[in-house]
Amino acid sequence: MTQPPDSSPRRVTPLLDDWVYAPLALPHASWDEVRTAGSTVTLPHTWNAVDGQAGSDYRRGRSTYARRVIAEEGAAETWVEFAGVNSSAEVFINGQLIARHDGGYSTFRVNLTTHLVEGAGTLVVVVDNSANQTVYPQQADFTFYGGIYREVRQISVASTHFALDNYGGPGLTVNPTLIADRAEVSLTANVVGAMAETAFVRFTVDGEGSTIVPVRAGDAAATVTIAQVRRWHGLRDPHLYTARAELLDGENVVDTVELRFGCREFAVDPQRGFLLNGEEYPLRGVSRHQDFEGVGNAINEEIRQIDLALIREIGATTVRLAHYQHDQRFYDLCDEVGLVVWAEIPQITVFLPGAVDNARNQLTELIIQNRHHASIVCWGLSNEITLAGAGDDVVAAHRDLNDLAHRLDPTRLTAMANLFLLETDHPLVTLPDVMSYNLYFGWYVGETPDNDTWLDDFHAAYPEVVIGLSEYGADANPQYQSADPAKGDYTESYQALYHEHMVTMIDERPWLWATHVWNLADFGSAGRDEGGVAGRNQKGLVSFDRSLKKDAFYVYKAAWATEPFVHVAGRRRRERAEDVTEVVVYSNQAEVTLFVDGTEVDTVSGARAFRFEVPLTGEHEITARAGQTSDTIALIKVDEAPETSIMPTSTIANWFDAAPLPTPEGFFSIHDSLADIKQSDEGARVIMSVLEAVATSRGEVGRGVEIPPAMQAIVDRMSVKQLLTQAGEIPMEQIATLNARLNLISK
């Protein structure tokens, strides 16, 4: 039977070419006016691909995108779907405002049908990433790239179709329930249009178990049974089913929607950690930002596949997709390969009373658009939201979000990532189902073993509370190397040592429900200017362009990956001044043999990290072998380490060594601890000024920080020198002046 034009199934057409971009707002402009003011671009596109990564003020404002749209022949309705526009969008057709969307990371759709003239029109989108107080995020350690940076599609449907206007959702909800060896799959489809109440929906799962039900009050619902269900079990067996809903008008199929889903059960236990299908399944992985060097957030499929391959190479079981909703495609990829996902909204850093409704809306979109994904186990409500305080309004807003998430999806956990300054007895700690802390002992404050102590103390004090580690890391610029790495020196060497400790610490604490390295890759942060590179957070295990795997990458590969490998660290420290150098090798094998210039020198047994002492006399070829795998680097003995491998002399760590400051007996200096100096009233005033300087040295993310007593105790154990070394980028003259002031205060 030939279907009439109005009964054609939906057609989805990419709209990526033939866009015109103008760096100004032209909301009511004609097609010719926009073309005159702008230039042709291809989507995805951001106007901050360069300045958003340059380490200075980047353009935040309004810009215009425009394109001609022509309705498909025979389509009753024409919609446009935007997968991501950052951060607010006003949509015009033929000069008329027809929609607005606030939130730069979720899908939204606009119905153009009644606004087209003879089936055509000029689509104008005014995009705005300006600072405001009503749309999250506004203050965070990443760049808010502006633009239509994800795909745009034209959707053509019949007059009766599956809903397209429900918070960008698919129009189909799939909820599997496991009962012994079978699954009961609850399916609900939302139908709109003139013929909705006389239509039927045919549901199938993997082409079997077909059932036809009528539409009632805009919904059609049915349950399909999967006998002998195959469970989605992470990396071991990421099996997916496909649910299909067909909208029937008589014998005609007028619309179709498909969703892939998985059947699995999970739980968290304060002693055993994460459980998948009843088995202990440690969640150990990384966090991911979506941007890329020179591209910004306007990434493509190739970049997504690169990131996925890197995550899989280190053997991670989980990924935290931070700090916002990621592209639907990346959730699909995680489903396919078996990565467990923490998904979240960009309510971050500082609570905005004027953005409470926006946070609710972004959470609603995140859940409705993504609740079919097998990989997602929790909805993140916020990240480090208490930097400037956590009053009753913050708690009330989070309680409301927590309730909203459970109403929209009672099958998943709610989660929060807490600032390491948040007191452990604060009500926010136990408000969601699970939580994790962002701990940076060994980088921003304290020493690396403080992570162990802090987590052990928490677990002992609150044994019934599930806790994880949502962020931890240390910045590393691979240009900087050291034979004696130290906290705050930005060397690749220190970052690797830091992560050696952290992966061991985590391995010894199976009760951590999930741990996520910060971060998979370096990423754009316009407010930063440190570690020899402006506009970048350098905590990644790989470089911003993903071309360089830092040594720390191999620390985790040695801990988690199963494919045999061996990696000789320190290859970027080729020229070495020491007579005997330490060669560090990372491998997931139990034994490593080292060869120098083809001669076997030693074999070491152990786990993850293997260390060898090698005399240097000239140029040497260093080869490590473990089983059938090998890796080789070249080293050369020099009189002095090259200057380019050391942080510039303006960096505090090096200056302290080159120009030691006075330490008169009986008086304070920068070598004394904060706690000792604060015993003097004058000393306490000086320390207050030091803490203010340190806070502002890290850009806007350091503004308004409140340090609770427990954290202050750790800070107070540090010397002023240690604190300033950690902060970096404080002029030498100020440090000398500070030491001179302390030299006048008697102990």
Side-chain angles (χ1 to χ4, degrees):
M1 176 183 293
T2 302
Q3 297 181 357
D6 192 48
S7 299
S8 303
R10 72 170 61 188
R11 294 184 296 279
V12 179
T13 306
L15 298 181
L16 305 180
D17 300 322
D18 303 320
W19 286 85
V20 173
Y21 165 75
L24 67 165
L26 300 169
H28 304 290
S30 68
W31 177 237
D32 288 338
E33 289 171 331
V34 177
R35 284 196 300 175
T36 299
S39 57
T40 302
V41 297
T42 299
L43 302 185
H45 177 268
T46 174
W47 64 77
N48 297 125
V50 176
D51 67 350
Q53 302 174 357
S56 58
D57 290 339
Y58 62 105
R59 181 173 175 268
R60 297 184 65 181
R62 305 177 79 198
S63 290
T64 300
Y65 293 82
R67 190 190 195 279
R68 292 289 291 169
V69 175
I70 301 174
E72 292 267 1
E73 183 179 353
E77 293 188 13
T78 299
W79 293 68
V80 172
E81 176 184 272
F82 298 90
V85 180
N86 199 44
S87 57
S88 293
E90 293 177 331
V91 182
F92 299 79
I93 190 75
N94 293 327
Q96 181 180 356
L97 176 65
I98 60 172
R100 179 180 175 86
H101 183 262
D102 291 321
Y105 306 98
S106 52
T107 294
F108 67 98
R109 303 187 185 100
V110 181
N111 190 346
L112 307 182
T113 308
T114 61
H115 306 282
L116 298 175
V117 177
E118 296 182 352
T122 297
L123 177 66
V124 173
V125 185
V126 177
V127 182
D128 189 357
N129 69 337
S130 301
N132 62 77
Q133 295 297 308
T134 58
V135 181
Y136 279 112
Q138 291 301 322
Q139 184 176 332
D141 185 20
F142 59 93
T143 298
F144 310 142
Y145 302 94
I148 304 181
Y149 70 96
R150 290 184 186 151
E151 288 78 4
V152 177
R153 304 173 184 89
Q154 181 173 321
I155 303 176
S156 305
V157 292
S159 58
T160 301
H161 55 270
F162 293 117
L164 292 166
D165 58 354
N166 183 25
Y167 292 96
L172 174 63
T173 303
V174 183
N175 185 19
T177 301
L178 288 166
I179 305 172
D181 292 334
R182 76 178 193 276
E184 299 293 328
V185 184
S186 174
L187 301 160
T188 303
N190 311 121
V191 182
V192 297
M195 306 299 293
E197 297 309 312
T198 62
F200 287 78
V201 174
R202 177 166 56 220
F203 293 109
T204 57
V205 174
D206 277 11
E208 300 179 1
S210 177
T211 182
I212 298 176
V213 296
V215 177
R216 296 288 184 264
D219 291 334
T223 298
V224 174
T225 300
I226 304 176
Q228 299 300 313
V229 65
R230 182 175 168 185
R231 298 188 179 213
W232 188 92
H233 199 80
L235 300 178
R236 189 175 74 193
D237 187 10
H239 182 74
L240 297 172
Y241 291 91
T242 300
R244 180 180 177 89
E246 296 172 297
L247 182 59
L248 306 177
D249 182 6
E251 296 181 5
N252 295 327
V253 176
V254 297
D255 201 6
T256 303
V257 174
E258 287 188 350
L259 289 180
R260 293 186 303 171
F261 68 97
C263 298
R264 78 283 187 272
E265 295 174 313
F266 60 86
V268 290
D269 184 276
Q271 304 303 324
R272 300 172 65 195
F274 185 79
L275 307 175
L276 181 61
N277 297 318
E279 299 179 9
E280 292 179 1
Y281 191 83
L283 296 184
R284 303 294 180 253
V286 297
S287 296
R288 173 191 182 251
H289 263 300
Q290 65 182 1
D291 63 338
F292 193 91
E293 186 174 10
V295 176
N297 57 356
I299 64 173
N300 56 22
E301 178 67 7
E302 180 183 2
I303 293 173
R304 287 189 286 267
Q305 292 289 348
I306 289 172
D307 281 0
L308 182 69
L310 289 167
I311 297 169
R312 297 185 72 187
E313 182 179 345
I314 61 172
T317 57
T318 180
V319 59
R320 180 181 174 211
L321 296 179
H323 287 300
Y324 37 75
Q325 182 170 333
H326 284 230
D327 189 281
Q328 188 72 221
R329 174 63 177 153
F330 206 81
Y331 297 117
D332 286 338
L333 292 173
C334 292
D335 289 345
E336 293 170 4
V337 302
L339 283 169
V340 172
V341 169
W342 169 323
E344 65 188 56
I345 60 172
Q347 184 174 224
I348 183 170
T349 308
V350 175
F351 178 72
L352 303 175
V356 170
D357 289 342
N358 181 252
R360 285 179 54 86
N361 193 72
Q362 292 203 49
L363 181 63
T364 300
E365 291 178 323
L366 174 70
I367 294 175
I368 288 179
Q369 293 173 23
N370 296 287
R371 57 191 171 191
H372 61 284
H373 287 291
S375 57
I376 297 175
V377 299
C378 65
W379 306 116
L381 307 180
S382 64
N383 176 79
E384 296 190 350
I385 198 63
T386 58
L387 184 141
D392 292 343
D393 55 345
V394 180
V395 176
H398 280 76
R399 186 171 291 115
D400 179 64
L401 286 176
N402 194 62
D403 293 343
L404 174 63
H406 287 142
R407 286 197 302 273
L408 293 172
D409 180 13
T411 72
R412 286 182 178 83
L413 304 168
T414 54
M416 284 180 63
N418 293 323
L419 181 69
F420 72 146
L421 301 174
L422 182 68
E423 288 282 28
T424 57
D425 61 353
H426 194 280
L428 284 175
V429 173
T430 53
L431 188 152
D433 299 320
V434 293
M435 63 82 199
S436 293
Y437 263 83
N438 298 348
L439 299 182
Y440 284 100
F441 300 114
W443 186 245
Y444 290 127
V445 69
E447 303 301 326
T448 310
D450 288 328
N451 292 285
D452 315 37
T453 303
W454 193 97
L455 288 167
D456 289 342
D457 288 349
F458 182 96
H459 190 55
Y462 308 101
E464 76 289 353
V465 177
V466 178
I467 185 171
L469 192 52
S470 40
E471 289 184 25
Y472 63 97
D475 288 79
N477 180 343
Q479 174 186 340
Y480 301 137
Q481 306 289 331
S482 176
D484 187 22
K487 180 181 69 175
D489 65 7
Y490 290 87
T491 62
E492 182 181 17
S493 325
Y494 178 77
Q495 185 194 44
L497 278 176
Y498 167 91
H499 283 292
E500 281 187 44
H501 176 92
M502 293 302 292
V503 77
T504 300
M505 185 274 293
I506 290 167
D507 189 51
E508 294 171 349
R509 291 160 179 80
W511 40 265
L512 291 168
W513 84 273
T515 64
H516 296 94
V517 177
W518 192 258
N519 191 50
L520 170 65
D522 295 348
F523 58 91
S525 181
R528 283 183 177 254
D529 187 359
E530 57 186 278
V533 178
R536 188 174 306 179
N537 185 309
Q538 298 183 88
K539 293 186 183 66
L541 300 180
V542 301
S543 61
F544 200 0
D545 66 357
R546 280 48 163 194
S547 67
L548 185 151
K549 298 170 183 173
K550 303 178 190 179
D551 285 336
F553 177 90
Y554 295 96
V555 173
Y556 288 97
K557 186 172 180 178
W560 300 336
T562 57
E563 183 177 350
F565 86 98
V566 64
H567 169 79
V568 183
R571 64 193 57 226
R572 281 166 285 279
R573 195 166 75 87
R574 181 173 181 271
E575 297 175 296
R576 304 190 181 190
E578 60 267 31
D579 294 328
V580 178
T581 192
E582 181 182 65
V583 173
V584 181
V585 178
Y586 298 123
S587 178
N588 56 1
Q589 302 301 290
E591 188 176 85
V592 173
T593 300
L594 196 75
F595 297 81
V596 177
D597 301 327
T599 300
E600 179 178 337
V601 295
D602 199 4
T603 296
V604 174
S605 299
R608 294 193 288 271
F610 303 81
R611 288 178 157 77
F612 302 85
E613 294 296 315
V614 175
L616 293 180
T617 57
E619 293 191 37
H620 301 284
E621 181 182 82
I622 311 295
T623 298
R625 291 181 184 168
Q628 301 301 309
T629 66
S630 65
D631 188 35
T632 299
I633 68 170
L635 299 181
I636 183 171
K637 177 71 168 67
V638 294
D639 293 333
E640 292 185 13
E643 292 183 3
T644 55
S645 72
I646 303 170
M647 280 285 288
T649 54
S650 60
T651 300
I652 295 169
N654 296 312
W655 184 67
F656 280 140
D657 295 332
L661 295 172
T663 57
E665 186 175 353
F667 295 86
F668 290 114
S669 73
I670 59 172
H671 297 283
D672 289 297
S673 72
L674 274 67
D676 289 343
I677 297 172
K678 287 165 66 175
Q679 293 181 18
S680 159
D681 291 341
E682 178 61 23
R685 286 191 289 271
V686 172
I687 293 305
M688 181 62 68
S689 68
V690 172
L691 294 176
E692 290 175 355
V694 169
T696 57
S697 74
R698 298 238 172 225
E700 68 168 14
V701 294
R703 295 200 315 264
V705 173
E706 294 184 0
I707 302 179
M711 182 62 61
Q712 189 63 59
I714 294 174
V715 175
D716 285 347
R717 291 200 296 266
M718 301 175 67
S719 69
V720 175
K721 174 183 174 180
Q722 289 174 318
L723 190 67
L724 295 177
T725 301
Q726 188 76 32
E729 307 303 330
I730 297 176
M732 292 181 267
E733 294 78 6
Q734 290 186 21
I735 299 168
T737 300
L738 170 63
N739 191 69
R741 289 178 63 188
L742 291 172
N743 291 166
L744 298 175
I745 304 172
S746 60
K747 294 184 177 180

